Amino acid sequence: MSQELSVDQRVMLLASPDEERLTYFIEQVNVSNEVWSLSNDQGFVMVETDEGDCVMVWPDAEFAAQWAVDDWDDCEPVSIDLDTFKSTWLPSLITDEVSIAVFPNIEDEGKLLSAVTLTEKLQK
């Protein structure tokens, strides 16, 4: 089970550099065996970046829910089993050349990784 964070710990984590949030993400999804994203009746949320399309993922539902506002107020956090994420999602994202924004904070800052790189990091 992933660790419960206090409000102060969550705020500090969101203010942390991308690399620290990435490390936290990897640790937590390996413990919880879940990856979280946002979805609505049209599917999972994708955003455009300078590098192309990307999918966003978070270590828990609460962090993901913070993004379900404004344009995405019809979205809700959805859990993806880690094994499914690794065996289905990542290979598909590699094929489609879709990047992954790992644990973005509310200032739109997140570690943008290729699916190949995230696959490698999740194997360690």
Side-chain angles (χ1 to χ4, degrees):
M1 174 175 244
S2 60
Q3 72 183 60
E4 289 296 320
L5 298 174
S6 70
V7 171
D8 288 344
Q9 288 172 314
R10 285 184 170 277
V11 169
M12 284 179 46
L13 190 53
L14 285 171
S16 297
D18 292 347
E19 283 296 328
E20 285 182 35
R21 288 195 319 282
L22 172 62
T23 299
Y24 179 83
F25 172 85
I26 298 294
E27 290 170 356
Q28 289 308 301
V29 300
N30 280 320
V31 169
S32 70
N33 287 311
E34 295 179 302
V35 174
W36 290 84
S37 193
L38 289 177
S39 180
N40 61 19
D41 60 358
Q42 296 180 1
F44 284 89
V45 171
M46 294 194 47
V47 294
E48 286 185 39
T49 67
D50 294 340
E51 289 82 29
D53 290 337
C54 80
V55 130
M56 297 184 295
V57 294
W58 292 270
D60 69 32
E62 193 172 335
F63 283 121
Q66 292 177 315
W67 276 75
V69 295
D70 299 328
D71 291 342
W72 298 330
D73 63 358
D74 63 337
C75 295
E76 60 184 49
V78 176
S79 170
I80 305 151
D81 176 76
L82 183 57
D83 288 336
T84 301
F85 186 73
K86 288 178 180 180
S87 66
T88 304
W89 278 61
L90 289 172
S92 177
L93 295 173
I94 290 168
T95 299
D96 296 340
E97 298 181 359
V98 173
S99 297
I100 304 160
V102 178
F103 196 178
N105 62 20
I106 51 179
E107 280 85 41
D108 294 341
E109 297 169 341
K111 186 68 173 176
L112 196 60
L113 297 176
S114 71
V116 171
T117 301
L118 185 54
T119 300
E120 292 167 359
K121 289 189 176 293
L122 287 170
Q123 301 302 327
K124 293 181 181 177

